[in-house]
Structure formats: C-alpha cells, structure tokens
Amino acid sequence: MSLLSVDDLVVDHRTPGRPAVRAVAGASLDVAAGEVVGLVGESGCGKSTLARAVCGLTAATGGAISFEGGQVTRLGLRRRDPELTRIQMVFQDPYASLNPRRRIGAQIADGLRTAGDRETTPGGMLERVGLPAAMAGRYPHEFSGGQRQRIAIARALAARPSLLIGDEPISALDASAQAQVATLMRNLAVESGAGLLFISHDLSVVRLIADRIAVMYLGKIVETGPTAEIWAAPRHPYTQALLRAIPEPDGLGTLPEELPGDVPDPADPPSGCRFHPRCPMAMDVCAKEEPAPGPVSCWLYPPA
Ligand code: SF4
C-alpha cells in the first residue's frame, strides 16, 4: 500500500471578482515508504499547490488524497489534523520558515516534542544534518542559506515524519549547496524509512536523488516512471523538451524558468491536450480530446 496516494486531485484558486484558476487539474501520484519521488515541471505548473493540498494547507476542490490509509481531502483550511504532523514540509526559503527570534535548538525541540521523543537532543539532530551540536544556542541569522536549510530539515525530521515534502528546497541556495542539501534530504528520509516528495524545477538534481520522477504540466501529471528510464528515454514530448532544455549534456545545469513558446494561462487552458500549442508533434486529435491519464498521457502512446 502506498504511503501517500493522490488520486485525480483538483485544486481551484479563487479570487473575488475573477474566474477560478484550476492550479491542479486532476493529478494522480503515489509515494511509497522509503521511496523518493521527484515532482518536476516549470514554475507555475501546480507542483507547490499539490504539495500544499497534501499537507492540508490548501483545500482540495475534488479528487482524493490518502495518507497512511486515511483520507485527507476534506481537511478544513484552519484545522490541521494531528495525524498530519507525520507529514513535514521543507520550504524554499528557510529564513521565512524559521522564527528569527528563537534559538534554533528551541525550534528543533518543538519537533522532538511533537514526536514524543525524549531521548534525542536538538544538538543530536544538528549533527545528523552535518552541523555542530554546539550551534543549537544560535539564532537563524547567524547561519548561511545552506546551513539554514539544513536546520529546517533537522526541525522537520525531529517530528519523525513518515512523509517529508521538499517544496523547491534548494532553489534559493548557492549551486555548491544544492546537490549537498538534496542528497542530505534523500539520505535522511530513506534512513528513517520515510517517503520523500521532492519538488523542483531542477531536473539535474532530481535525477541525482529520485527513484521515480513525475512530470507536471499545467496542473496535470503527464509522465511518470523510474528516474533512469525517463532520463534514458523520455516519451512525452514535454518531458523530452525539459530534458533538451538542460544546457549541459552531462546533466549538470538547471532548467530555464520557461521553455520556448507561450505558457498558457491556467485560468483559460487549451482544449484537448494542454501541451498542444507548444508541442512539435501535435496531431489533429490533440486539440480536440484530452489524452487519458497514465504513465504517459499523450495521444502518441494510447493506452493498450
Ligand atoms: Fe503532443 Fe498530442 Fe502528445 Fe499532447 S497529446 S503531447 S499535443 S502529441
């Protein structure tokens, strides 16, 4: 059984006086215990909204989210089910998620208390993320960006989550810290038996750490599969375009913010396959009918 199962999830963003924007438009995704799944796609494709719905931070409009066998779709906006402390999130900007006025040891201790862990010390958690235990008495501003992200990871792991979600956790870091922090998240999640959903627009780092990749485009998952297979032979034209956009053939380098072609407005998505206005292989059917969801959601690969 999957640790996390997202089934046909729909999330609408509503702003008074404006049409609703369907940020997630029927996305399905699974994460197993001890598995690392990389969720990739351009900025604004709905990756972060999906993650926030999984954590209960954003209400789902439709579909179902099952975590450890329980449904979380109907979670209210203001209430967080105590069970959901077993999902911990690491955000893009660690400075925004750490309290600047509290010592980091006290903030890590909050997570240990949540887990009922009286044995582990905040210093011990710092050592697990590669920082000296003696730094527990310092404040967030006394650290570099990469160190602060390590502290955010220590705090998240202190709560003993069974699912860790990284929402673009490396995109604000120096290039030198990115792979280190991503690898650290992977190793610590896997060691503790937790699943990791790692969201990034940096495919080259996702390739380093993920067992499986899910590619998202305009609110939908268009291709999923084992990382090595997708890297060696991407099938969906959007995945192919993403991989081609990585500047270095050895996979070192980051995805540009946008691929060539106009990114459609999520409030007014194209008919049929949402990628058809940008797809070099589009056929007549593509503008008329939506391809079925599956490992590759594309009319070039109709389900058997
Ligand atoms: Fe391209 Fe058609 Fe496949 Fe969409 S369904 S990705 S437009 S070939």
Side-chain angles (χ1 to χ4, degrees), residues 283-296:
M283 305 167 282
D284 285 350
V285 65
C286 301
K288 293 181 196 140
E289 287 180 51
E290 203 174 321
V296 190

Side-chain angles (χ1 to χ4, degrees), residues 33-254:
E35 183 184 38
V36 179
V37 176
L39 180 59
V40 301
E42 290 164 280
S43 300
C45 71
K47 312 183 292 289
S48 295
T49 304
L50 183 148
R52 292 178 64 82
V54 166
C55 292
L57 297 173
T58 297
T61 310
I65 303 168
S66 153
F67 171 64
E68 295 186 321
Q71 294 295 318
V72 296
T73 302
R74 290 175 186 272
L75 195 70
L77 277 174
R78 294 204 194 105
R79 192 175 64 91
R80 261 203 111 206
D81 193 309
E83 281 297 301
L84 289 189
T85 57
R86 307 224 350 115
I87 303 179
Q88 289 289 320
M89 203 152 163
V90 175
F91 296 92
Q92 177 174 344
D93 178 3
Y95 207 44
S97 61
L98 293 169
N99 183 334
R101 287 181 291 280
R102 293 182 72 211
R103 296 179 197 274
I104 59 161
Q107 298 189 55
I108 294 170
D110 291 344
L112 293 169
R113 253 191 310 279
T114 300
D117 182 348
R118 293 200 182 85
E119 313 253 302
T120 311
T121 61
M125 288 306 301
L126 284 175
E127 285 176 344
R128 283 185 68 194
V129 297
L131 293 172
M135 287 184 167
R138 296 192 186 176
Y139 291 90
H141 74 265
E142 297 179 66
F143 296 91
S144 70
Q147 287 174 325
R148 277 197 290 268
Q149 199 57 298
R150 286 172 187 265
I151 295 162
I153 293 167
R155 191 182 59 169
L157 286 170
R160 295 256 187 99
S162 51
L163 177 66
L164 188 61
I165 299 181
D167 184 10
E168 297 277 3
I170 55 168
S171 54
L173 305 182
D174 294 343
S176 60
Q178 288 186 344
Q180 285 172 9
V181 168
T183 307
L184 178 75
M185 273 187 92
R186 181 203 155 82
N187 292 346
L188 293 177
V190 171
E191 263 170 33
S192 64
L196 171 60
L197 179 60
F198 190 90
I199 296 170
S200 180
H201 63 270
D202 187 336
L203 261 174
S204 52
V205 170
V206 169
R207 179 196 184 192
L208 271 182
I209 65 160
D211 303 310
R212 278 193 305 123
I213 290 182
V215 181
M216 195 164 185
Y217 184 74
L218 217 61
K220 290 183 178 285
I221 306 290
V222 297
E223 182 165 4
T224 56
T227 304
E229 279 178 25
I230 289 199
W231 202 269
R235 295 199 288 164
H236 195 284
Y238 179 60
T239 315
Q240 292 172 356
L242 285 181
L243 290 182
R244 267 200 309 273
I246 295 175
E248 302 294 329
D250 60 0
L252 300 173
T254 57

Side-chain angles (χ1 to χ4, degrees), residues 222 235-238 272-287 289-291 296-301:
V222 297
R235 295 199 288 164
H236 195 284
Y238 179 60
C273 169
R274 293 174 164 223
F275 190 54
H276 87 258
R278 301 170 80 190
C279 179
M281 295 178 218
M283 305 167 282
D284 285 350
V285 65
C286 301
E289 287 180 51
E290 203 174 321
V296 190
S297 177
C298 169
W299 283 115
L300 293 171
Y301 309 92

